[in-house]
Amino acid sequence: MTISKMLLGAASLAMATGMAHAESHMADTSDMRIALSNNYAGNSWRQAMLQTWEETAEEAVAEGVVAAADAYTTSENQATEQAAQIQNLILQGYDAIVLNAASPTALNGAVKEACDAGVTVVSFDGIVTEPCAWRIAVDFAAMGREEVDYLASRLPEGGNLLEIRGLAGVFVDDEISKGIHQGVEEHDQFEIVGSVHGDWAQDVAQKAVAGILPSLPEIVGVVTQGGDGYGAAQAFEAAGRPTPLIVLGNRQDELQWWAEQRDANGYETLSLSIAPGVASLAFWVSQQILAGEEVPKDLTVPFLKITQDTLDEALETTPEGSVANVVYTLEDAKEVIAEAK
């Protein structure tokens, strides 16, 4: 087992080196199989992400670009379970594993095993720090800072903020929160007086905010991570408290609520998130690596931002219950790769 794995690793290494030299003719990936390992599916962003993956994969398989591109989601957001899933995908002989990781570090052992077995690992959104893997992310810390910059431009007097965090343990949650706290250090007229985890899901966020609100002073702004803004608004309304300035995260129910508030009382805010379509970018990046393209290990994509001016347009193109999205093609992936070189 180990010997054949080592041979496999050596063979694919030789192949990869050979390919790098023969850039003029890319390798054929039509007999190769790619797997998506995903740690969580319990919110609209993840559903849209999985749907984008499915649509991209179906098309690529139909066109003979790859032989298979299967999606696997763990039942619990547990790194141990996802590590076992990755080991299973190695045994199933996948050529590449695209990964939305439960933890930036706890999966590194399993990721290293995959690399040693000659499997290409591309992490996105929830990325991993293992050097053999590729990473595709937005600058989540910058997203957090931008939220506070926006609040400072709208509420120069400052005041108390409520922070709604995402899924505990995931890279994305740590980074956005880090950026928010950096923003508050810079704009010290604001103070974060409460923090809850909303798991990027409206129902979870609503319960968490409802639970903490009675103990909080007046709140002027809510800093979020996406998938939690509408739930927060509902909780404030149920508590009979004035609606603060809530930064939103591109979910259709949030955008719908924003449009209704805007029409009723001129409510104005900002909405920003990573597009779930980054899954399609991760698919094409892994395909390009398998084809022998030299791809830098770290790729950054811009976050998707919706303003008062683009709200109606975004709402029109976002299906009910989903998230504002951008889907990436092979051409887009080649462009992102070229820009990173």
Side-chain angles (χ1 to χ4, degrees):
M1 173 68 197
T2 349
I3 292 178
S4 66
K5 259 196 184 173
M6 274 166 61
L7 288 172
L8 246 175
S12 57
L13 188 66
M15 263 173 66
T17 340
M19 282 174 192
H21 295 314
E23 266 196 46
S24 50
H25 48 272
M26 298 285 276
D28 177 23
T29 57
S30 59
D31 60 345
M32 294 189 178
R33 293 158 63 235
I34 300 175
L36 169 67
S37 165
N38 171 48
N39 68 313
Y40 181 73
N43 61 37
S44 59
W45 192 96
R46 293 297 177 116
Q47 292 298 325
M49 184 272 284
L50 289 167
Q51 193 185 335
T52 302
W53 173 272
E54 215 166 278
E55 288 164 5
T56 304
E58 267 175 27
E59 206 172 303
V61 171
E63 288 172 7
V65 178
V66 290
D70 310 308
Y72 301 90
T73 297
T74 52
S75 55
E76 301 286 331
N77 171 41
Q78 296 292 342
T80 44
E81 191 190 352
Q82 197 172 16
Q85 183 191 67
I86 291 168
Q87 286 159 336
N88 193 13
L89 297 174
I90 299 169
L91 295 178
Q92 287 181 48
Y94 282 97
D95 299 281
I97 297 171
V98 172
L99 178 63
N100 198 338
S103 157
T105 52
L107 296 173
N108 284 349
V111 168
K112 183 82 170 73
E113 276 177 56
C115 295
D116 291 347
V119 181
T120 294
V121 181
V122 176
S123 64
F124 73 101
D125 187 46
I127 57 176
V128 292
T129 57
E130 165 53 50
C132 74
W134 277 261
R135 281 161 287 280
I136 303 172
V138 309
D139 187 339
F140 289 111
M143 198 173 113
R145 287 192 300 273
E146 179 150 344
E147 291 189 41
V148 186
D149 288 346
Y150 175 73
L151 289 180
S153 74
R154 293 285 316 282
L155 307 166
E157 303 294 298
N160 297 322
L161 304 182
L162 167 63
E163 178 187 16
I164 307 179
R165 296 189 56 157
L167 207 56
V170 180
F171 170 80
V172 179
D173 172 56
D174 293 336
E175 287 297 300
I176 296 176
S177 183
K178 182 176 91 180
I180 285 170
H181 285 262
Q182 287 169 347
V184 169
E185 270 172 40
E186 201 177 307
H187 303 284
D188 57 9
Q189 68 269 42
F190 291 107
E191 189 189 345
I192 295 172
V193 293
S195 178
V196 292
H197 278 277
D199 296 359
W200 306 312
Q202 304 291 1
D203 51 344
V204 181
Q206 184 171 347
K207 280 196 194 92
V209 174
I212 197 175
L213 265 185
S215 65
L216 296 180
E218 188 204 352
I219 299 293
V220 298
V222 181
V223 279
T224 62
Q225 296 203 359
D228 38 22
Y230 180 66
Q234 299 298 95
F236 272 88
E237 193 182 339
R241 295 179 66 141
T243 307
L245 206 162
I246 304 171
V247 180
L248 304 176
N250 296 0
R251 277 43 169 194
Q252 185 266 340
D253 49 7
E254 299 178 326
L255 300 177
Q256 181 71 50
W257 173 83
W258 177 9
E260 285 164 7
Q261 296 300 308
R262 175 201 63 192
D263 296 345
N265 55 43
Y267 192 82
E268 194 180 327
T269 187
L270 171 72
S271 182
L272 66 182
S273 181
I274 180 172
V278 71
S280 55
L281 177 63
F283 169 85
W284 287 117
V285 166
S286 65
Q287 186 273 334
Q288 285 292 287
I289 296 164
L290 293 175
E293 179 63 62
E294 281 193 35
V295 179
K297 286 280 161 117
D298 290 279
L299 301 171
T300 308
V301 291
F303 37 84
L304 183 57
K305 200 187 303 184
I306 298 166
T307 62
Q308 208 77 359
D309 297 335
T310 56
L311 171 58
D312 289 327
E313 190 189 332
L315 199 46
E316 229 165 85
T317 53
T318 306
E320 197 169 323
S322 193
V323 188
N325 202 5
V326 176
V327 177
Y328 294 83
T329 62
L330 172 58
E331 292 315 308
D332 295 331
K334 285 179 172 172
E335 213 169 285
V336 169
I337 291 166
E339 279 172 12
K341 283 186 175 176

mmCIF file of all heavy atoms in Angstrom, residues 287-310:
data_model
loop_
_atom_site.group_PDB
_atom_site.id
_atom_site.type_symbol
_atom_site.label_atom_id
_atom_site.label_comp_id
_atom_site.label_asym_id
_atom_site.label_seq_id
_atom_site.Cartn_x
_atom_site.Cartn_y
_atom_site.Cartn_z
ATOM 1 N N GLN A 287 -8.317 21.922 -12.233
ATOM 2 C CA GLN A 287 -8.212 21.318 -13.575
ATOM 3 C C GLN A 287 -6.950 21.820 -14.287
ATOM 4 O O GLN A 287 -6.230 21.048 -14.938
ATOM 5 C CB GLN A 287 -9.470 21.646 -14.394
ATOM 6 C CG GLN A 287 -9.545 20.942 -15.756
ATOM 7 C CD GLN A 287 -8.846 21.727 -16.866
ATOM 8 O OE1 GLN A 287 -8.717 22.943 -16.810
ATOM 9 N NE2 GLN A 287 -8.390 21.017 -17.888
ATOM 10 N N GLN A 288 -6.668 23.109 -14.134
ATOM 11 C CA GLN A 288 -5.483 23.689 -14.774
ATOM 12 C C GLN A 288 -4.186 23.121 -14.178
ATOM 13 O O GLN A 288 -3.222 22.868 -14.901
ATOM 14 C CB GLN A 288 -5.502 25.223 -14.634
ATOM 15 C CG GLN A 288 -6.501 25.899 -15.565
ATOM 16 C CD GLN A 288 -6.077 25.762 -17.026
ATOM 17 O OE1 GLN A 288 -5.144 26.405 -17.481
ATOM 18 N NE2 GLN A 288 -6.757 24.901 -17.765
ATOM 19 N N ILE A 289 -4.177 22.899 -12.871
ATOM 20 C CA ILE A 289 -2.995 22.305 -12.227
ATOM 21 C C ILE A 289 -2.801 20.880 -12.751
ATOM 22 O O ILE A 289 -1.687 20.481 -13.104
ATOM 23 C CB ILE A 289 -3.135 22.321 -10.685
ATOM 24 C CG1 ILE A 289 -3.195 23.764 -10.167
ATOM 25 C CG2 ILE A 289 -1.965 21.583 -10.021
ATOM 26 C CD1 ILE A 289 -3.710 23.892 -8.737
ATOM 27 N N LEU A 290 -3.905 20.122 -12.826
ATOM 28 C CA LEU A 290 -3.828 18.750 -13.353
ATOM 29 C C LEU A 290 -3.344 18.754 -14.806
ATOM 30 O O LEU A 290 -2.677 17.822 -15.248
ATOM 31 C CB LEU A 290 -5.190 18.046 -13.254
ATOM 32 C CG LEU A 290 -5.711 17.734 -11.846
ATOM 33 C CD1 LEU A 290 -7.116 17.143 -11.920
ATOM 34 C CD2 LEU A 290 -4.765 16.771 -11.119
ATOM 35 N N ALA A 291 -3.698 19.803 -15.534
ATOM 36 C CA ALA A 291 -3.297 19.899 -16.944
ATOM 37 C C ALA A 291 -1.838 20.326 -17.104
ATOM 38 O O ALA A 291 -1.325 20.415 -18.210
ATOM 39 C CB ALA A 291 -4.207 20.874 -17.682
ATOM 40 N N GLY A 292 -1.177 20.622 -15.968
ATOM 41 C CA GLY A 292 0.234 20.954 -16.039
ATOM 42 C C GLY A 292 0.549 22.435 -16.031
ATOM 43 O O GLY A 292 1.706 22.836 -16.173
ATOM 44 N N GLU A 293 -0.477 23.256 -15.860
ATOM 45 C CA GLU A 293 -0.254 24.709 -15.796
ATOM 46 C C GLU A 293 0.472 25.038 -14.484
ATOM 47 O O GLU A 293 0.181 24.464 -13.450
ATOM 48 C CB GLU A 293 -1.610 25.418 -15.849
ATOM 49 C CG GLU A 293 -1.562 26.927 -15.765
ATOM 50 C CD GLU A 293 -0.836 27.584 -16.926
ATOM 51 O OE1 GLU A 293 -1.289 27.444 -18.071
ATOM 52 O OE2 GLU A 293 0.199 28.219 -16.658
ATOM 53 N N GLU A 294 1.425 25.941 -14.549
ATOM 54 C CA GLU A 294 2.079 26.383 -13.320
ATOM 55 C C GLU A 294 1.214 27.443 -12.649
ATOM 56 O O GLU A 294 0.993 28.512 -13.206
ATOM 57 C CB GLU A 294 3.467 26.941 -13.630
ATOM 58 C CG GLU A 294 4.493 25.852 -13.834
ATOM 59 C CD GLU A 294 5.910 26.388 -13.837
ATOM 60 O OE1 GLU A 294 6.184 27.345 -13.077
ATOM 61 O OE2 GLU A 294 6.727 25.861 -14.607
ATOM 62 N N VAL A 295 0.721 27.117 -11.467
ATOM 63 C CA VAL A 295 -0.219 28.003 -10.769
ATOM 64 C C VAL A 295 0.377 28.423 -9.430
ATOM 65 O O VAL A 295 0.758 27.569 -8.632
ATOM 66 C CB VAL A 295 -1.577 27.285 -10.536
ATOM 67 C CG1 VAL A 295 -2.551 28.184 -9.787
ATOM 68 C CG2 VAL A 295 -2.175 26.822 -11.859
ATOM 69 N N PRO A 296 0.449 29.734 -9.148
ATOM 70 C CA PRO A 296 0.937 30.180 -7.831
ATOM 71 C C PRO A 296 0.062 29.604 -6.716
ATOM 72 O O PRO A 296 -1.143 29.399 -6.918
ATOM 73 C CB PRO A 296 0.792 31.706 -7.899
ATOM 74 C CG PRO A 296 0.742 32.042 -9.358
ATOM 75 C CD PRO A 296 0.107 30.869 -10.029
ATOM 76 N N LYS A 297 0.684 29.356 -5.559
ATOM 77 C CA LYS A 297 -0.039 28.687 -4.462
ATOM 78 C C LYS A 297 -1.149 29.552 -3.849
ATOM 79 O O LYS A 297 -2.090 29.037 -3.275
ATOM 80 C CB LYS A 297 0.949 28.278 -3.362
ATOM 81 C CG LYS A 297 1.814 27.071 -3.760
ATOM 82 C CD LYS A 297 1.058 25.771 -3.596
ATOM 83 C CE LYS A 297 1.643 24.629 -4.371
ATOM 84 N NZ LYS A 297 2.126 23.507 -3.592
ATOM 85 N N ASP A 298 -1.029 30.877 -3.945
ATOM 86 C CA ASP A 298 -2.037 31.741 -3.315
ATOM 87 C C ASP A 298 -2.717 32.631 -4.342
ATOM 88 O O ASP A 298 -2.057 33.413 -5.018
ATOM 89 C CB ASP A 298 -1.391 32.600 -2.226
ATOM 90 C CG ASP A 298 -0.983 31.747 -1.037
ATOM 91 O OD1 ASP A 298 -1.861 31.433 -0.215
ATOM 92 O OD2 ASP A 298 0.202 31.363 -0.951
ATOM 93 N N LEU A 299 -4.021 32.481 -4.454
ATOM 94 C CA LEU A 299 -4.802 33.282 -5.399
ATOM 95 C C LEU A 299 -5.837 34.080 -4.625
ATOM 96 O O LEU A 299 -6.498 33.551 -3.726
ATOM 97 C CB LEU A 299 -5.516 32.369 -6.406
ATOM 98 C CG LEU A 299 -4.618 31.445 -7.253
ATOM 99 C CD1 LEU A 299 -5.472 30.454 -8.023
ATOM 100 C CD2 LEU A 299 -3.747 32.246 -8.208
ATOM 101 N N THR A 300 -5.971 35.358 -4.953
ATOM 102 C CA THR A 300 -6.943 36.202 -4.248
ATOM 103 C C THR A 300 -7.994 36.684 -5.230
ATOM 104 O O THR A 300 -7.671 37.087 -6.346
ATOM 105 C CB THR A 300 -6.240 37.426 -3.621
ATOM 106 O OG1 THR A 300 -5.140 36.948 -2.845
ATOM 107 C CG2 THR A 300 -7.178 38.182 -2.700
ATOM 108 N N VAL A 301 -9.257 36.619 -4.824
ATOM 109 C CA VAL A 301 -10.344 37.137 -5.662
ATOM 110 C C VAL A 301 -11.026 38.285 -4.925
ATOM 111 O O VAL A 301 -11.034 38.320 -3.694
ATOM 112 C CB VAL A 301 -11.380 36.031 -6.001
ATOM 113 C CG1 VAL A 301 -10.773 35.007 -6.935
ATOM 114 C CG2 VAL A 301 -11.916 35.348 -4.755
ATOM 115 N N PRO A 302 -11.587 39.240 -5.665
ATOM 116 C CA PRO A 302 -12.246 40.366 -4.994
ATOM 117 C C PRO A 302 -13.564 39.924 -4.351
ATOM 118 O O PRO A 302 -14.194 38.984 -4.821
ATOM 119 C CB PRO A 302 -12.511 41.349 -6.142
ATOM 120 C CG PRO A 302 -12.468 40.548 -7.393
ATOM 121 C CD PRO A 302 -11.614 39.347 -7.132
ATOM 122 N N PHE A 303 -13.963 40.591 -3.239
ATOM 123 C CA PHE A 303 -15.292 40.264 -2.707
ATOM 124 C C PHE A 303 -16.351 40.990 -3.521
ATOM 125 O O PHE A 303 -16.070 41.963 -4.215
ATOM 126 C CB PHE A 303 -15.443 40.493 -1.204
ATOM 127 C CG PHE A 303 -14.743 41.672 -0.618
ATOM 128 C CD1 PHE A 303 -15.329 42.922 -0.643
ATOM 129 C CD2 PHE A 303 -13.510 41.533 0.004
ATOM 130 C CE1 PHE A 303 -14.698 44.012 -0.071
ATOM 131 C CE2 PHE A 303 -12.868 42.620 0.586
ATOM 132 C CZ PHE A 303 -13.464 43.866 0.539
ATOM 133 N N LEU A 304 -17.549 40.470 -3.437
ATOM 134 C CA LEU A 304 -18.670 41.001 -4.203
ATOM 135 C C LEU A 304 -19.404 42.005 -3.316
ATOM 136 O O LEU A 304 -19.838 41.682 -2.219
ATOM 137 C CB LEU A 304 -19.588 39.840 -4.592
ATOM 138 C CG LEU A 304 -20.800 40.120 -5.464
ATOM 139 C CD1 LEU A 304 -20.388 40.766 -6.776
ATOM 140 C CD2 LEU A 304 -21.547 38.819 -5.746
ATOM 141 N N LYS A 305 -19.515 43.232 -3.826
ATOM 142 C CA LYS A 305 -20.051 44.322 -3.013
ATOM 143 C C LYS A 305 -21.338 44.859 -3.643
ATOM 144 O O LYS A 305 -21.409 45.044 -4.859
ATOM 145 C CB LYS A 305 -18.992 45.425 -2.960
ATOM 146 C CG LYS A 305 -19.157 46.382 -1.815
ATOM 147 C CD LYS A 305 -18.182 47.545 -1.903
ATOM 148 C CE LYS A 305 -16.722 47.098 -1.966
ATOM 149 N NZ LYS A 305 -15.822 48.281 -1.951
ATOM 150 N N ILE A 306 -22.347 45.102 -2.812
ATOM 151 C CA ILE A 306 -23.606 45.673 -3.300
ATOM 152 C C ILE A 306 -23.856 46.977 -2.546
ATOM 153 O O ILE A 306 -23.790 47.016 -1.312
ATOM 154 C CB ILE A 306 -24.774 44.685 -3.096
ATOM 155 C CG1 ILE A 306 -24.536 43.405 -3.910
ATOM 156 C CG2 ILE A 306 -26.107 45.316 -3.508
ATOM 157 C CD1 ILE A 306 -25.429 42.249 -3.529
ATOM 158 N N THR A 307 -24.112 48.045 -3.300
ATOM 159 C CA THR A 307 -24.359 49.357 -2.692
ATOM 160 C C THR A 307 -25.802 49.777 -2.965
ATOM 161 O O THR A 307 -26.527 49.103 -3.701
ATOM 162 C CB THR A 307 -23.424 50.420 -3.305
ATOM 163 O OG1 THR A 307 -23.726 50.506 -4.708
ATOM 164 C CG2 THR A 307 -21.958 50.045 -3.131
ATOM 165 N N GLN A 308 -26.183 50.903 -2.397
ATOM 166 C CA GLN A 308 -27.526 51.451 -2.615
ATOM 167 C C GLN A 308 -27.834 51.533 -4.124
ATOM 168 O O GLN A 308 -28.944 51.256 -4.545
ATOM 169 C CB GLN A 308 -27.589 52.854 -1.979
ATOM 170 C CG GLN A 308 -28.963 53.284 -1.526
ATOM 171 C CD GLN A 308 -29.405 52.640 -0.215
ATOM 172 O OE1 GLN A 308 -28.687 51.831 0.377
ATOM 173 N NE2 GLN A 308 -30.592 52.973 0.255
ATOM 174 N N ASP A 309 -26.797 51.882 -4.908
ATOM 175 C CA ASP A 309 -26.981 52.065 -6.357
ATOM 176 C C ASP A 309 -27.167 50.753 -7.113
ATOM 177 O O ASP A 309 -27.778 50.734 -8.180
ATOM 178 C CB ASP A 309 -25.768 52.799 -6.959
ATOM 179 C CG ASP A 309 -25.629 54.200 -6.377
ATOM 180 O OD1 ASP A 309 -26.648 54.750 -5.919
ATOM 181 O OD2 ASP A 309 -24.496 54.720 -6.383
ATOM 182 N N THR A 310 -26.595 49.657 -6.603
ATOM 183 C CA THR A 310 -26.675 48.392 -7.354
ATOM 184 C C THR A 310 -27.652 47.402 -6.721
ATOM 185 O O THR A 310 -27.779 46.275 -7.184
ATOM 186 C CB THR A 310 -25.276 47.737 -7.450
ATOM 187 O OG1 THR A 310 -24.757 47.559 -6.124
ATOM 188 C CG2 THR A 310 -24.308 48.588 -8.248
#
